[in-house]
Structure formats: structure tokens, C-alpha cells
Amino acid sequence: MGTVLSKMEMLNKALEILPATEEDIVLTGIISKIAERFAVLKKAERTLIEKYESVKKLEKQIKEEGVSPDDHTAYNDLLEWRAAKYELEELTFFLESI
């Protein structure tokens, strides 16, 4: 059975093998995780756009129709959409600062 390496041992082993610095490896990992998260958030956003067209239309729908005590789907979708937009903005800002 193989040996389980700690994170630091894996990093040190990678530094021995790869023509990269520790900073390169860490930044690559961060950027990779951000790209994965972007994909998830953009997919959620596309789903909401297909369902409601825009955040403004969804907000207008909720304002005009209210939220049913039995079905909070539209309101939950609005909260999800706002959270996704905020996270996308934060991730974009973070990437621009790297």
C-alpha cells in the first residue's frame, strides 16, 4: 500500500519534480479552484436566466405577486441569484488583484 503524504510533503515533492516555484504551484491551485467555482456559479446563473430572464424581472415578479406562504421558490431563487452574482464579483476582483 502507498504512503500517504502530508500537504507539505506533497508540495515539497512537487517542487523537486516540477520546474515551478512554491508560489507558482499555490497560485495555480487557487486559480484552478476559482475557475471551478466560476463554472458552478455561471451554470446556476444560466439556469436562473432561462427560468426568469433577469434578476430585475424576478424582483418585479416578487414585488407584484408577493411570495406564497406555501411556495418560496421564487424568493429562494432570488437569494441564490444575488449570492451567485456577489460571489462572481468577489472572485473576479480577487483574480484581478493577483
Side-chain angles (χ1 to χ4, degrees):
M1 193 132 194
T3 307
V4 177
L5 299 176
S6 73
K7 291 174 190 165
M8 287 308 297
E9 289 170 329
M10 286 191 309
L11 177 58
N12 290 331
K13 186 69 175 169
L15 289 169
E16 289 174 15
I17 300 167
L18 297 169
T21 66
E22 183 176 342
E23 183 178 288
D24 292 338
I25 293 171
V26 171
L27 281 175
T28 301
I30 290 170
I31 292 168
S32 173
K33 280 306 211 185
I34 289 173
E36 288 174 17
R37 188 65 182 150
F38 253 90
V40 169
L41 293 168
K42 284 300 209 176
K43 183 178 179 183
E45 191 175 51
R46 280 191 305 275
T47 300
L48 292 166
I49 288 170
E50 288 173 9
K51 191 172 182 180
Y52 300 105
E53 291 185 38
S54 72
V55 172
K56 295 288 183 198
K57 284 189 177 187
L58 178 55
E59 290 171 336
K60 183 179 178 187
Q61 174 188 328
I62 290 171
K63 186 174 184 177
E64 290 174 356
E65 299 172 14
V67 177
S68 164
D70 299 334
D71 185 10
H72 297 111
T73 303
Y75 185 70
N76 289 338
D77 287 347
L78 178 60
L79 294 177
E80 178 185 338
W81 205 338
R82 287 177 176 169
K85 286 176 68 82
Y86 176 78
E87 190 173 345
L88 284 166
E89 289 171 5
E90 289 294 305
L91 291 171
T92 300
F93 178 76
F94 180 71
L95 276 177
E96 290 171 350
S97 71
I98 294 178

